[in-house]
Amino acid sequence: MKKSTLNLVSVLKNNLLEFPKITRSLENKDPFFIEKLSAWIQKNEEIFSTYTISEVSELSGLYSKLLIPRFSDNKSISLKKAQLKAASEILYDLQSLILTVLKPFELKVEECRELVKQILLIISQAKVVKYDPDLPFENFVDAIWKFTTSNEQLQAGAIKLKTMLIMSDIQMLIAEEINLEDYC
């Protein structure tokens, strides 16, 4: 079953927005920095696994670098310092990996968003679908989609959207991009 690309983009963006806070906790010598970083990595591993993104293995490999000091026989340096050193060495690679995974999905969503905007512009100019405030908004979104799939001029766009996104994502984009004033 395909999963929501909009959700994936949103979750990965939010996780990247958390990253500066994690970096600052290293800078401020937060005693829970390693735990925070580990939790952040594991959260992203779960997302990658859920979406069957193969870079989960690379993420796990980076996480393993945090574990190496636990098994070191080197008694001249404390475990905490060794973990902090390992963590500081992988920080950039971690955020870079998440960003690299995010970018193609983000571009896909933007391409679909632009296509939805074009479809909505054509429909609003043709004045073939009217918004009825007495009916649920979902009905209006469904009417837009139904017209899109049945109109010869718009079918190619509908097919492209369906090949790139799941139906709930398409509906969400339509709902986000609609300007109700154009349909009254």
Side-chain angles (χ1 to χ4, degrees):
M1 182 172 93
K2 286 177 75 176
K3 295 173 181 66
S4 171
T5 304
L6 292 180
N7 185 53
L8 175 63
V9 167
S10 174
V11 169
L12 289 180
K13 275 184 173 182
N14 287 338
N15 288 351
L16 281 172
L17 290 173
E18 291 174 13
F19 201 74
K21 197 181 303 181
I22 292 169
T23 304
R24 294 294 167 264
S25 71
L26 172 63
E27 181 182 34
N28 298 330
K29 298 181 181 177
D30 181 341
F32 298 105
F33 165 72
I34 297 295
E35 291 81 4
K36 289 176 181 178
L37 182 61
S38 295
W40 187 86
I41 294 170
Q42 290 168 2
K43 183 169 48 169
N44 284 291
E45 281 179 333
E46 286 176 28
I47 294 162
F48 283 18
S49 291
T50 300
Y51 281 85
T52 59
I53 297 171
S54 60
E55 284 86 346
V56 68
S57 62
E58 191 174 343
L59 196 53
S60 294
L62 289 169
Y63 179 65
S64 72
K65 291 183 177 187
L66 282 180
L67 302 176
I68 292 171
R70 289 186 186 173
F71 304 103
S72 174
D73 292 334
N74 187 353
K75 302 294 179 197
S76 64
I77 188 167
S78 75
L79 171 62
K80 192 74 168 173
K81 283 187 178 183
Q83 280 188 310
L84 287 172
K85 181 179 183 325
S88 66
E89 291 172 353
I90 65 169
L91 280 176
Y92 178 80
D93 294 334
L94 286 169
Q95 72 81 29
S96 180
L97 176 62
I98 305 301
L99 191 59
T100 300
V101 167
L102 171 62
K103 280 295 177 198
F105 290 105
E106 207 172 32
L107 291 172
K108 179 182 188 179
V109 167
E110 274 312 304
E111 182 181 344
C112 291
R113 186 176 301 280
E114 287 305 313
L115 183 54
V116 165
K117 285 178 182 178
Q118 291 171 12
I119 289 169
L120 290 171
L121 180 63
I122 292 167
I123 294 172
S124 71
Q125 288 175 344
K127 305 241 184 257
V128 290
V129 179
K130 299 285 183 199
Y131 175 63
D132 182 352
D134 295 332
L135 294 175
F137 182 70
E138 295 81 24
N139 291 11
F140 179 58
V141 170
D142 290 341
I144 294 278
W145 182 247
K146 188 174 181 178
F147 181 79
T148 303
T149 58
S150 65
N151 180 280
E152 208 173 288
Q153 182 185 3
L154 301 176
Q155 278 178 341
I159 290 168
K160 185 171 184 175
L161 286 170
K162 283 199 69 123
T163 60
M164 295 178 76
L165 298 175
I166 62 173
M167 194 60 217
S168 61
D169 282 354
I170 295 168
Q171 291 168 324
M172 182 68 73
L173 283 179
I174 292 170
E176 287 176 1
E177 295 302 327
I178 243 169
N179 181 1
L180 292 179
E181 294 167 0
D182 296 338
Y183 297 89
C184 294

